């Protein structure tokens, strides 16, 4: 299949116009008309990821997070982003990113399903279409449980060894918000929604204790910890919707370790 045909399939799942204005999604590097026989899927287009894609003889790299956010004035090996771009071009690997468009049209719903959230609503609306409000995160209902039980549920749902919790572990909850990735900006929306716990990532000390002081627990499962679900989902999606294309997924690799 041509790269453009695969892009059309990806756009059906998460059209690029759903991305936030500050974001940079779509075909970021490469030839849209090249033939693609292998697609390599990862969360981030790190130097290691690109090396793996090239070693696997992939023709296309698909990631959730865009490698290029800001405009590049130079593309050379003196800059770590430029170095990655050059590696992709030299190997003739097309590179496509689907970030906040996937957050709106896939990520939060997938995460909410894993948690068993019911009667879900959009947490932070970003737009409206024929289906209604669309946006970042979900808020819904859980069976009554304690915060500590919810933390264990998060660990099971996303196959994590540990999570960070702000708030009273013994507090009873029934209403939860979930925002895969970085959730600092949605704390206010989660509080407004009446959520008793926010499940997200990248929560700093002050945001966490301030949320707890206002009566909402926060379970920080890590940025990668939740968003890694992008990889198996997109593998399954592409395998179902493409023909004659091998879909490869990067093995789970957390970007840091606790020692």
């Amino acid at each position: 299949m041509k790269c453009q045909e695969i892009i059309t399939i990806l756009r059906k799942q998460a059209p690029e116009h759903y991305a936030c204005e500050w974001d940079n999604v779509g075909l970021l590097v490469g030839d849209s008309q090249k033939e693609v026989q292998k697609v390599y899927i990862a969360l981030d287009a790190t130097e290691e990821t690109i090396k793996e894609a090239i070693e696997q003889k992939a023709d296309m790299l698909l990631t959730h997070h865009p490698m290029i956010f800001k405009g590049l004035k130079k593309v050379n090996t003196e800059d770590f982003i430029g170095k990655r771009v050059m590696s992709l071009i030299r190997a003739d690997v097309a590179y496509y990113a689907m970030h906040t468009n996937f957050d709106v049209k896939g990520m939060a719903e997938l995460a909410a399903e894993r948690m068993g959230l019911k009667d879900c609503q959009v947490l932070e609306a970003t737009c409206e279409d024929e289906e209604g409000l669309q946006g970042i995160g979900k808020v819904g209902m859980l069976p009554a449980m304690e915060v500590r039980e919810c933390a264990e549920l998060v660990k099971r749902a996303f196959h994590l060894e540990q999570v960070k919790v702000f708030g009273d572990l013994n507090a009873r909850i029934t209403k939860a918000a979930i925002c895969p990735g970085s959730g600092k900006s949605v704390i206010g929306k989660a509080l407004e929604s009446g959520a008793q716990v926010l499940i997200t990532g990248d929560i700093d000390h002050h945001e966490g204790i301030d949320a707890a002081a206002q009566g909402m627990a926060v379970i920080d499962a890590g940025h990668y910890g939740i968003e890694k679900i992008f990889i198996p989902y997109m593998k399954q999606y592409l395998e179902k919707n493409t023909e004659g294309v091998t879909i490869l997924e990067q093995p789970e690799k957390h970007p840091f370790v606790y020692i």
Side-chain angles (χ1 to χ4, degrees), residues 129-174:
D129 61 15
E130 64 278 0
E131 297 178 359
L133 287 177
Q134 303 290 338
I136 305 295
K138 295 288 185 182
V139 58
M141 306 304 295
L142 287 171
M145 64 180 71
E146 293 181 350
V147 170
R148 71 171 70 249
E149 294 175 297
C150 186
E152 292 298 328
L153 177 58
V154 171
K155 288 164 63 178
R156 291 194 302 273
F158 300 102
H159 309 295
L160 301 170
E161 293 185 3
Q162 58 189 2
V163 294
K164 181 168 62 176
V165 183
F166 293 92
D168 182 1
L169 291 174
N170 299 313
R172 301 285 291 179
I173 61 165
T174 55

Side-chain angles (χ1 to χ4, degrees), residues 64-78:
H64 177 50
H65 298 134
M67 178 179 69
I68 304 170
F69 268 112
K70 300 177 181 179
L72 297 176
K73 294 184 177 181
K74 298 179 181 178
V75 178
N76 58 44
T77 57
E78 301 301 313

Side-chain angles (χ1 to χ4, degrees), residues 91-236:
D92 192 22
V93 177
Y95 169 50
Y96 189 90
M98 43 198 309
H99 189 210
T100 51
N101 52 325
F102 185 79
D103 287 339
V104 171
K105 298 299 289 183
M107 187 73 83
E109 185 174 352
L110 288 172
E113 287 176 357
R114 287 206 178 198
M115 285 296 299
L117 285 177
K118 305 296 183 183
D119 303 320
C120 288
Q121 303 293 326
V122 171
L123 177 59
E124 182 179 32
T126 57
C127 62
E128 188 171 5
D129 61 15
E130 64 278 0
E131 297 178 359
L133 287 177
Q134 303 290 338
I136 305 295
K138 295 288 185 182
V139 58
M141 306 304 295
L142 287 171
M145 64 180 71
E146 293 181 350
V147 170
R148 71 171 70 249
E149 294 175 297
C150 186
E152 292 298 328
L153 177 58
V154 171
K155 288 164 63 178
R156 291 194 302 273
F158 300 102
H159 309 295
L160 301 170
E161 293 185 3
Q162 58 189 2
V163 294
K164 181 168 62 176
V165 183
F166 293 92
D168 182 1
L169 291 174
N170 299 313
R172 301 285 291 179
I173 61 165
T174 55
K175 192 170 188 179
I178 189 162
C179 180
S182 179
K184 300 174 188 178
S185 65
V186 301
I187 288 176
K189 291 292 184 182
L191 285 165
E192 289 175 14
S193 75
Q196 296 155 307
V197 62
L198 169 63
I199 302 154
T200 187
D202 292 351
I203 298 298
D204 292 334
H205 172 81
H206 294 291
E207 286 90 358
I209 63 173
D210 288 351
Q214 295 175 81
M216 182 179 71
V218 178
I219 298 174
D220 186 335
H223 199 125
Y224 182 92
I226 298 178
E227 289 198 326
K228 65 184 181 181
I229 62 177
F230 168 84
I231 299 171
Y233 174 81
M234 289 310 303
K235 182 177 189 293
Q236 185 177 34

